[in-house]
Amino acid sequence: VQLQASGGGLVQAGGSLRLSCAASGRTFSSYAMGWFRQAPGKEREFVAAIRWTDSTYYADSVKGRFTISRDNAKDTVYLQMNSLKPEDTAVYYCAADPGGSWPPVYDYWGQGTQVTVSS
């Protein structure tokens, strides 16, 4: 499984970005997918996840502002980020659990995409 994340950039506080993560693999629809982020000097942290059932889960810090979704026809998972804050600045990574287990065991990771939110 290969994951290609894109969509990062520089945005002002209060703005929006949509991240995409394109996955290879024949059975994407059964994958559990997640987004994580890592800010400078901090550990990687969970942001959001989506099951093959389309159930979604969010970190408290992004709940109500971020939305994870998937398009199985395009083998892609998205992270819509609204009302961005400077503390959302980080490298964002997508991850995949092809086994669809829950909680997920993320065996595959994308390369990361930088999100910078200016105040």
Side-chain angles (χ1 to χ4, degrees):
V1 176
Q2 292 185 327
L3 303 175
Q4 181 69 42
S6 61
L10 173 64
V11 64
Q12 289 188 331
S16 299
L17 282 175
R18 188 177 80 156
L19 305 183
S20 300
C21 177
S24 66
R26 296 183 177 181
T27 58
F28 174 80
S29 60
S30 67
Y31 294 6
M33 298 294 297
W35 286 97
F36 290 75
R37 67 186 181 186
Q38 187 167 20
K42 295 187 177 181
E43 294 187 352
R44 187 174 299 186
E45 65 175 3
F46 168 77
V47 175
I50 185 166
R51 299 184 69 178
W52 65 272
T53 58
D54 286 341
S55 298
T56 57
Y57 303 85
Y58 298 94
D60 288 343
S61 59
V62 307
K63 204 171 292 184
R65 300 188 298 122
F66 291 11
T67 302
I68 188 171
S69 62
R70 66 193 301 157
D71 185 339
N72 292 331
K74 295 182 178 180
D75 292 350
T76 300
V77 64
Y78 303 98
L79 185 68
Q80 177 67 43
M81 306 185 294
N82 299 328
S83 301
L84 283 161
K85 305 175 181 180
E87 52 263 44
D88 294 318
T89 295
V91 177
Y92 283 70
Y93 299 89
C94 60
D97 173 1
S101 56
W102 202 262
V105 178
Y106 293 111
D107 293 325
Y108 301 94
W109 294 81
Q111 84 287 5
T113 184
Q114 175 71 47
V115 172
T116 303
V117 184
S118 63
S119 57

